[in-house]
Amino acid sequence: MTYDPAAHAAAGPGGDTPPGPSSSAGSDGVERAGHPAASDPSGAPNTAEPDPTDVSLPDDLVDAARTLFGDRLDLATAYAQLLATDGVLRGLIGPREAPRIWARHLLNCAAVAELIPTGSSVLDVGSGAGLPGIVLAIARPDLSVVLVEPLARRTSFLTEAVTALGLDSSVAVLRTRAEELAGGGPVGLPVPADIVTARAVAPLDRLAGWCLPLTTLGGRVLALKGSSAAEEVAEYGKAVARLGGAAPEVRHCGAGLIDPPTTVVEIVRERLVGPALRDALAKRRAAARAESGRRGGGRARGR
């Protein structure tokens, strides 16, 4: 299902690109708003011309894929085919990404599931083509996943993919920007969520500003990062703390299963700050006044 509270929102500086998390370019070959799909993360130009529809699972990745997806491997294969066809045609995936969709995208995202407790609610911010949100929903049918994405053409793809894969019962698509969700989402959606994910969206300080307000107190932000993760943690740790997050920690998911493992920066939301704190205090005061009124009314009736 698709919720579209931002359909009339003004376009941002990138034409049809609203400001917010999806306005950053990633180095994972997945298109971000205002940017084409990235080249190889090493910086070397892509000169090969692989078949853009070849998404066959490489033999050396079969065991890892079976471990991560279990009896839903066929569903993961169907999603890989969607990415390599409609995803490429709509400009969400670079045409040279198809041969490495499994290693660079599907298995890389699925490995993050090891950090997510059973039955968690998940918000995937800046979902783009559904990475990692759709992958997590395939690998973990116990999760409730909301894909948060501001651009209409992306949410159209996400909605169609969710339906085609039969994930409607566990996955919702929400067209909005992360910062607009901080006050709560549409009725029936898990906002705030136990887990908020983001992949190749923005530097850690901006990402924490968008994602921590969407996370339950004690919940976690899981930011999929590359080789710069440790540097970002060192640079932006104080900014994360000001936003109510605990010290960010670098995790490596899928070690011994995929090479390289997926690098994730994990941030626990340990404090309410700013508007969230003011709202919580206001609710607490209102509840105290209501309780005091009930007690006063009881005493008056007793007399």
Side-chain angles (χ1 to χ4, degrees):
M1 54 181 167
T2 304
Y3 297 88
D4 192 1
H8 61 283
D16 69 341
T17 304
S22 289
S23 61
S24 297
S27 59
D28 56 359
V30 180
E31 184 249 18
R32 306 293 166 192
H35 298 266
S39 62
D40 189 275
S42 67
N46 287 318
T47 56
E49 295 294 340
D51 179 355
T53 62
D54 179 13
V55 291
S56 55
L57 177 59
D59 291 342
D60 61 331
L61 299 179
V62 169
D63 288 344
R66 286 176 175 164
T67 298
L68 292 170
F69 291 106
D71 60 3
R72 290 161 72 88
L73 181 54
D74 286 348
L75 202 56
T77 300
Y79 178 50
Q81 190 66 43
L82 281 174
L83 289 176
T85 51
D86 282 2
V88 170
L89 288 173
R90 298 186 188 196
L92 303 180
I93 291 288
R96 297 184 179 91
E97 290 301 302
R100 48 188 179 181
I101 274 178
W102 285 99
R104 198 179 191 198
H105 300 294
L106 300 193
L107 300 184
N108 176 270
C109 290
V112 179
E114 70 184 54
L115 297 178
I116 303 177
T118 301
S120 295
S121 57
V122 178
L123 283 178
D124 185 30
V125 169
S127 195
L131 301 166
I134 287 181
V135 176
L136 292 173
I138 292 173
R140 291 280 303 277
D142 60 293
L143 302 178
S144 172
V145 179
V146 178
L147 310 176
V148 179
E149 171 56 50
L151 292 188
R153 65 187 178 87
R154 295 184 190 169
T155 54
S156 294
F157 171 82
L158 292 172
T159 301
E160 293 167 22
V162 166
T163 298
L165 297 170
L167 298 173
D168 296 272
S169 63
S170 62
V171 181
V173 179
L174 179 60
R175 187 187 173 202
T176 190
R177 293 175 289 183
E179 57 268 41
E180 294 172 347
L181 270 183
V187 174
L189 292 187
V191 181
D194 303 317
I195 301 290
V196 177
T197 58
R199 183 179 193 242
V201 169
L204 200 58
D205 56 340
R206 278 192 286 152
L207 193 64
W210 292 326
C211 294
L212 280 172
L214 304 179
T215 312
T216 57
L217 198 60
R220 289 173 293 155
V221 173
L222 302 178
L224 283 71
K225 290 288 185 178
S227 58
S228 65
E231 288 83 354
E232 286 196 51
V233 166
E235 183 174 358
Y236 299 123
K238 291 181 179 178
V240 169
R242 287 194 297 271
L243 293 164
E249 296 191 30
V250 178
R251 308 289 191 195
H252 297 288
C253 302
L257 190 62
I258 59 174
D259 185 23
T262 305
T263 301
V264 177
V265 176
E266 179 182 64
I267 306 171
V268 176
R269 189 184 191 190
E270 63 177 11
R271 293 176 292 107
L272 297 178
V273 297
L277 179 58
R278 290 194 296 272
D279 290 347
L281 292 174
K283 289 178 181 178
R284 189 179 304 172
R285 287 192 293 267
R289 286 194 297 269
E291 179 62 22
S292 177
R294 284 193 295 269
R295 291 176 180 174
R299 288 193 295 270
R301 287 192 296 273
R303 290 195 292 270

